[in-house]
């Protein structure tokens, strides 16, 4: 098949949406499909680039930053690209930008017979005040957009239920396909003598509650006297300064290391090295880093909320209340790190991207059959 993916961000960058686009795109390319990803060019990179077996086409959208991704120049670039590659199926990713909405509107007007698949990557938590204020109007736009779609792919049961409720997507046009992981290798040897080695990886946003992880470490170090306890934070974002300030205020500088986003191989090493991975978010549409940590044999603690609740059924993943209580989290850390916790075997929620790509393939084939 000739497949066109639309992503409103830089596909090669960190983040759950970008990971899904490039991993599914790469897996489908390895299965013999011709995959092209259309995206804006926020970092002023080369307009076209081969990447992991597929092609990335970057369009110039200079007004996007001012208008939530909307840019009239997208129409001409998208029309030229579609004439060149004549896609049989288009899959648009992300409801967080008008870039996606504009692409759907244009594609449906100009190519009415091409199956159009959409993934919301929907989170129920709004970081910005303006986003919370505009959500009702934007939701109405999304509800109208649903009529143009052939199929919708969600990544968790929580996201699927939210999409069906908020946007009126019929269940027969909605599939749940959990994200994949690159490898499943749960063999793990704990280094002797070290205290609990904790890890967080992801964007540094308010809803991620990284401060709660720092407060839990504070309980371990200053109340439970776990002087060997450490925390590695991998990521970047607007909460970096406040997290660093909290670390200083709690006197934890010797126990915390903050690193920028890492290359995939380096992040794998961090996950293998860690005794415990923590994701204490208020809300997640999926939580891909949890799947990745479990697949590498690292136990996880997550908040028992939104899509993270679905991981708790996996051996090696444990839930805490949301919002998290640092003393309860510290208690769970101690219990898990000093017991023989088994990670895996897993359900179909944790599979490789190659296995996941087969589900996408089936959705695309079904859309083509329905359109015939």
């Amino acid at each position: 098949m000739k497949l066109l993916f639309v992503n409103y961000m830089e596909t090669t960058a960190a983040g759950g949406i970008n990971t899904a686009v490039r991993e599914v795109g790469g897996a489908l390319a390895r299965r013999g499909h011709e995959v092209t990803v259309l995206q804006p060019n926020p970092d002023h990179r080369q307009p076209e680039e081969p990447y992991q077996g597929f092609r990335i086409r970057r369009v110039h959208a200079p007004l996007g930053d001012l208008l939530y991704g909307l840019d009239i120049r997208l129409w001409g670039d998208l029309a030229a690209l579609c004439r060149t590659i004549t896609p049989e199926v288009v899959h648009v990713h992300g409801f967080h930008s008008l870039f996606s909405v504009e692409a759907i509107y244009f594609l449906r007007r100009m190519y009415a017979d091409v199956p159009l698949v959409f993934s919301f990557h929907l989170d129920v938590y709004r970081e910005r005040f303006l986003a919370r204020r505009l959500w009702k109007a934007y939701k109405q736009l999304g509800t109208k957009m649903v009529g143009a779609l052939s199929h919708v792919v969600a990544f968790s049961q929580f996201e699927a239920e939210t999409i069906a409720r908020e946007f009126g997507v019929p269940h027969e046009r909605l599939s749940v396909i959990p994200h994949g992981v690159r490898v499943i290798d749960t063999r793990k040897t704990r280094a002797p003598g070290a205290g609990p080695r904790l890890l967080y990886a992801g964007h540094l946003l308010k809803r991620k509650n990284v401060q709660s992880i720092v407060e839990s470490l504070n309980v371990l170090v200053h109340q439970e006297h776990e002087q060997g306890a450490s925390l590695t934070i991998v990521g970047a974002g607007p909460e970096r300064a406040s997290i660093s300030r909290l670390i200083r205020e709690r006197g934890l500088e010797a126990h915390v290391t903050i690193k920028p986003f890492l290359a995939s191989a380096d992040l794998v090493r961090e996950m293998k090295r860690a005794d415990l991975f923590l994701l204490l978010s208020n809300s997640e549409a999926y939580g891909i880093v949890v799947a990745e940590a479990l697949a590498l044999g690292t136990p996880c603690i997550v908040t028992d909320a939104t899509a993270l609740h679905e991981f708790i059924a996996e051996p090696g993943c444990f839930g805490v209340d949301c919002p998290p209580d640092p003393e309860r989290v510290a208690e769970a850390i101690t219990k898990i790190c000093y017991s023989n916790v088994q990670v895996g075997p897993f359900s179909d929620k944790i599979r490789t991207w190659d296995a996941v790509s087969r589900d996408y393939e089936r959705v695309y084939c079904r859309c083509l059959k329905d359109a015939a």
Side-chain angles (χ1 to χ4, degrees):
M1 282 182 284
K2 293 181 180 180
L3 304 173
L4 173 63
F5 287 2
V6 178
N7 181 18
Y8 73 94
M9 295 189 293
E10 173 52 53
T11 300
T12 64
I17 296 177
N18 298 325
T19 298
V21 171
R22 65 175 176 261
E23 294 293 346
V24 172
L28 288 168
R30 289 191 295 273
R31 292 178 62 77
H33 302 290
E34 183 180 319
V35 182
T36 303
V37 177
L38 175 72
Q39 61 155 81
N41 195 3
D43 301 328
H44 306 288
R45 300 191 181 194
Q46 56 191 20
E48 186 168 345
E49 176 186 1
Y51 189 84
Q52 295 185 5
F54 59 90
R55 300 199 70 80
I56 297 176
R57 290 285 297 268
R58 298 181 177 95
V59 299
H60 183 57
L63 302 179
D65 290 341
L66 302 175
L67 299 173
Y68 285 89
L70 183 69
D71 197 306
I72 194 65
R73 301 187 189 201
L74 172 64
W75 289 49
D77 290 320
L78 190 52
L81 179 61
C82 287
R83 285 194 298 268
T84 300
I85 66 174
T86 59
E88 296 171 77
V89 177
V90 178
H91 190 157
V92 181
H93 288 263
F95 188 57
H96 310 77
S97 169
L98 289 174
F99 186 89
S100 303
V101 178
E102 183 182 7
I104 288 172
Y105 179 77
F106 169 77
L107 286 162
R108 189 45 78 218
R109 278 176 62 90
M110 301 300 294
Y111 300 97
D113 296 331
V114 176
L116 192 53
V117 181
F118 188 63
S119 291
F120 280 84
H121 297 266
L122 184 68
D123 199 294
V124 296
Y125 189 87
R126 311 281 164 248
E127 288 282 341
R128 299 176 182 176
F129 174 79
L130 183 60
R132 293 193 293 271
R133 289 290 185 181
L134 294 176
W135 173 244
K136 286 187 178 180
Y138 199 48
K139 190 172 75 170
Q140 290 180 344
L141 179 63
T143 302
K144 292 181 179 179
M145 180 189 72
V146 165
L149 304 176
S150 306
H151 204 80
V152 173
V153 174
F155 310 112
S156 65
Q157 194 60 42
F158 165 78
E159 187 194 15
E161 291 170 359
T162 303
I163 289 169
R165 181 181 66 251
E166 296 287 335
F167 300 98
V169 178
H171 287 283
E172 62 271 15
R173 285 200 282 141
L174 181 58
S175 296
V176 177
I177 305 177
H179 290 318
V181 297
R182 285 198 166 187
V183 64
I184 298 177
D185 178 11
T186 57
R187 295 171 296 176
K188 195 175 179 74
T189 302
R190 189 174 190 272
R197 291 166 299 191
L198 312 179
L199 175 64
Y200 167 83
H203 291 286
L204 304 182
L205 306 171
K206 282 186 179 180
R207 69 178 174 87
K208 298 289 187 175
N209 276 335
V210 181
Q211 287 90 338
S212 292
I213 302 177
V214 174
E215 295 286 15
S216 301
L217 177 68
N218 183 57
V219 172
L220 286 173
V221 172
H222 293 130
Q223 295 183 30
E224 302 298 330
H225 307 293
E226 287 278 4
Q227 294 304 311
S230 64
L231 168 64
T232 298
I233 298 172
V234 177
E239 290 298 298
R240 166 70 186 263
S242 63
I243 292 167
S244 298
R245 185 168 58 251
L246 179 62
I247 291 167
R248 291 193 300 271
E249 290 172 353
R250 298 294 185 262
L252 294 170
E253 296 98 321
H255 298 269
V256 182
T257 301
I258 302 181
K259 300 182 178 183
F261 283 114
L262 300 175
S264 178
D266 295 327
L267 182 57
V268 166
R269 281 191 286 271
E270 290 287 350
M271 287 182 169
K272 274 290 189 183
R273 176 181 175 275
D275 297 315
L276 195 60
F277 184 91
L278 294 97
L279 185 59
L280 305 183
S281 302
N282 291 327
S283 176
E284 293 284 344
Y286 185 72
I288 191 170
V289 285
V290 177
E292 291 170 340
L294 289 171
L296 294 171
T298 302
C300 296
I301 295 179
V302 301
T303 39
D304 189 3
T306 60
L308 294 178
H309 168 78
E310 298 170 35
F311 280 108
I312 298 174
E314 303 295 334
C317 191
F318 303 86
V320 295
D321 291 338
C322 185
D325 179 335
E327 293 192 358
R328 292 288 182 89
V329 175
E331 181 183 346
I333 290 170
T334 302
K335 183 178 179 181
I336 295 166
C337 287
Y338 294 110
S339 61
N340 188 22
V341 171
Q342 178 179 340
V343 181
F346 306 117
S347 71
D348 283 346
K349 187 175 181 64
I350 299 178
R351 303 172 293 161
T352 65
W353 285 109
D354 283 336
V356 168
S357 71
R358 294 186 180 93
D359 285 346
Y360 279 87
E361 199 174 48
R362 281 189 282 270
V363 166
Y364 300 152
C365 288
R366 188 166 70 214
C367 288
L368 282 170
K369 182 179 178 182
D370 291 343

